[in-house]
Amino acid sequence: VALLSVAEDAAWHHVHLLLASAIAARPTGAAPDSGLGDLFALADAIATATGGATAIEDPRQRILAYSTVHGQPVDEDRRQGILGRQVPASAENTEQYRRLFAAVRPIGLPALSAGDLPRLAMPVRAGGETLGSVWVIDGGSLAPDAEDTLAQGASTAALLLLRARAAQELARHQGGELLRRLLDGTAADAATAAERLGVAGPARVAAFVLDSAAGVPDTERTALRLLDVVRLQCEARYGRHAGVLVDGVVYAVLPGPGERHRTLAEDIVARAGQALRVPVRAALGEVVPDAAGLADSRADADLVLRVLDAELPVATVDEVRARVTLLRLSEVMGERRELSAGAWRRVLAYDAGHGTEYARTLVSWFDAGCDMAGAAKLLAVHPNTCRYRLRQLQQHAGVDLDDPDERLVLWLQLRALAGLSSATP
């Protein structure tokens, strides 16, 4: 018995991955032909020992492995299941699986229709979790100890299924770390990293995040569940795929030119919101020609996330280009003294000191295309009132509204730095 000490701040899913990888790397000491190499070898071993064709399934009744021992009787249900790698669905099947998953020992199950054969079946469990089941066809010549053999085989199947799951989770974790470096722009060789992730040609980055206003009780755990939903949907659409959770945001790479990316994002948002009972938002960066541009596409997606709201939960960067451009402009201008200085401060200061609305009048005039009647309509005042205000503004704030460059800079500063628009109350 090994006793491990884990740091308090360690994430349990990381601890699990480390333990799983260590266990998977330990030599088993089993000979290659011992029947423990993989599920197909195990199915053959069980079939040989029990005298009946064997199949190993997961909890969703998907056939993971089956025996190929010559001469053993089979029926049409087995043939169809192997061809489709899925047990044919029926009400009778559902009832048999209900009985099976409630059992603790191998149970005999009758044939479901004429021409079919009865089965001997055993659930596969580990730590109280049902991992699948093992089925043996009873053609009338099963070995006397078939039940004991099947029970032992189910125990071995549990070990193999746990190892396969651990290997899959480790591969996903490694893929996530590789994707993280691609998105950060720190991958030593972007082309090689993209090839390992199965990303080739044009692609874009999609970012998914929980709505912080919803008050999620366990943010970290819910974000991990969101990562699972995104991975599942992307793998169903594209096959091999990688996703990663970074600072509460789930990132995924969507391959292809991008015609259906928004539809997929909307579908994920709907499914995740329903499964997690938390509103989810999705942002899509620009489509880039190859993996070298994924960091830029990720930066686009991050910007889009900042302008999304309840009325617009999903958007591509092209759809909100104006918003994200103003957002970045406001940040850049706010950081540079020479870009944030100017007449706009005098306009705001005059309004604050005299109770006037010169700044709002000016922005409404800009928004109306410098049309006095349009500005008056936006402000719900007479056009003469607008004219008077603009004349007074030029006199008191020292601005030249006849200069197109000064108009442009003044509008940008009021819009980006002061956050004013014609809709501002």
Side-chain angles (χ1 to χ4, degrees):
V1 175
L3 180 64
L4 304 180
S5 175
V6 180
E8 271 189 39
D9 59 349
W12 280 111
H13 67 284
H14 286 164
V15 176
H16 173 256
L17 285 171
L18 290 172
L19 288 173
S21 61
I23 293 171
R26 189 185 70 174
T28 62
D33 59 348
S34 66
L36 300 177
D38 56 29
L39 288 175
F40 278 90
L42 176 62
D44 278 340
I46 295 174
T48 301
T50 60
T54 301
I56 301 174
E57 304 173 4
D58 70 4
R60 298 182 179 180
Q61 303 172 28
R62 292 179 296 192
I63 296 179
L64 304 175
Y66 52 87
S67 63
T68 56
V69 177
H70 181 69
Q72 291 185 336
V74 297
D75 56 20
E76 189 60 25
D77 268 358
R78 176 180 168 88
R79 294 189 187 94
Q80 293 301 320
I82 290 176
L83 286 174
R85 300 303 292 267
Q86 177 74 46
V87 175
S90 69
E92 294 81 4
N93 260 347
T94 300
E95 175 58 25
Q96 285 199 343
Y97 279 98
R98 187 193 65 77
R99 290 181 54 197
L100 171 64
F101 290 140
V104 295
R105 288 282 301 168
I107 61 171
L109 297 169
L112 296 179
S113 59
D116 286 339
L117 297 170
R119 260 79 166 162
L120 185 65
M122 172 73 182
V124 177
R125 294 193 182 95
E129 179 184 1
T130 299
L131 304 177
S133 56
V134 183
W135 296 71
V136 175
I137 292 181
D138 184 359
S141 57
L142 291 183
D145 60 349
E147 290 191 9
D148 291 336
T149 300
L150 181 55
Q152 294 173 5
S155 178
T156 303
L159 295 176
L160 292 176
L161 289 173
L162 285 174
R163 174 177 291 187
R165 175 193 289 181
Q168 185 180 37
E169 290 184 0
L170 180 61
R172 281 186 169 185
H173 178 69
Q174 292 172 337
E177 289 302 310
L178 191 59
L179 179 58
R180 184 197 302 266
R181 293 197 292 272
L182 264 181
L183 299 182
D184 288 341
T186 59
D189 185 348
T192 301
E195 183 179 355
R196 288 180 58 187
L197 291 173
V199 178
R204 78 181 341 145
V205 174
F208 301 86
V209 69
L210 303 169
D211 187 349
S212 58
V216 185
D218 189 345
T219 304
E220 182 179 356
R221 182 177 180 181
T222 308
L224 287 171
R225 292 180 62 197
L226 175 60
L227 174 62
D228 289 337
V229 173
V230 172
R231 280 175 169 169
L232 179 63
Q233 295 302 316
C234 289
E235 286 173 1
R237 180 69 61 89
Y238 300 114
R240 183 182 178 186
H241 190 73
V244 63
L245 175 64
V246 181
D247 297 330
V249 180
V250 175
Y251 296 99
V253 177
L254 308 183
E259 292 90 347
R260 300 182 180 178
H261 291 167
R262 196 185 195 285
T263 302
L264 174 60
E266 290 175 340
D267 187 45
I268 291 175
V269 165
R271 291 175 183 271
Q274 184 177 13
L276 306 179
R277 294 182 174 83
V278 176
V280 176
R281 296 174 184 174
L284 292 89
E286 191 168 6
V287 176
V288 293
D290 51 44
L294 288 178
D296 292 334
S297 185
R298 182 259 181 102
D300 289 340
D302 285 338
L303 278 174
V304 175
L305 281 180
R306 296 172 61 185
V307 301
L308 296 179
D309 52 33
E311 296 182 358
L312 185 67
V314 181
T316 67
V317 66
D318 289 331
E319 292 172 335
V320 291
R321 181 73 67 182
R323 293 191 196 181
V324 298
T325 300
L326 285 174
L327 176 63
R328 285 295 293 136
L329 274 174
S330 66
E331 293 174 343
V332 173
M333 294 171 71
E335 294 168 356
R336 302 293 297 270
R337 180 198 57 79
E338 69 275 18
L339 299 179
S340 61
W344 72 284
R345 292 186 182 276
R346 297 196 298 272
V347 175
L348 293 178
Y350 192 89
D351 280 348
H354 298 82
T356 54
E357 293 188 342
Y358 291 161
R360 183 167 174 245
T361 301
L362 188 56
V363 170
S364 298
W365 184 59
F366 288 146
D367 288 355
C370 298
D371 177 68
M372 202 64 68
K377 185 176 181 180
L378 291 173
L379 293 166
V381 299
H382 194 276
N384 287 338
T385 304
C386 286
R387 291 189 182 93
Y388 174 77
R389 288 178 180 178
L390 293 181
R391 284 196 301 268
Q392 293 295 106
L393 167 68
Q394 294 183 83
Q395 178 182 346
H396 295 298
V399 297
D400 182 6
L401 297 182
D402 293 327
D403 185 343
D405 291 339
E406 186 158 356
R407 290 200 304 267
L408 173 61
V409 172
L410 189 55
W411 180 84
L412 279 174
Q413 291 175 326
L414 288 172
R415 185 70 179 86
L417 297 177
L420 298 179
S421 70
S422 57
T424 306

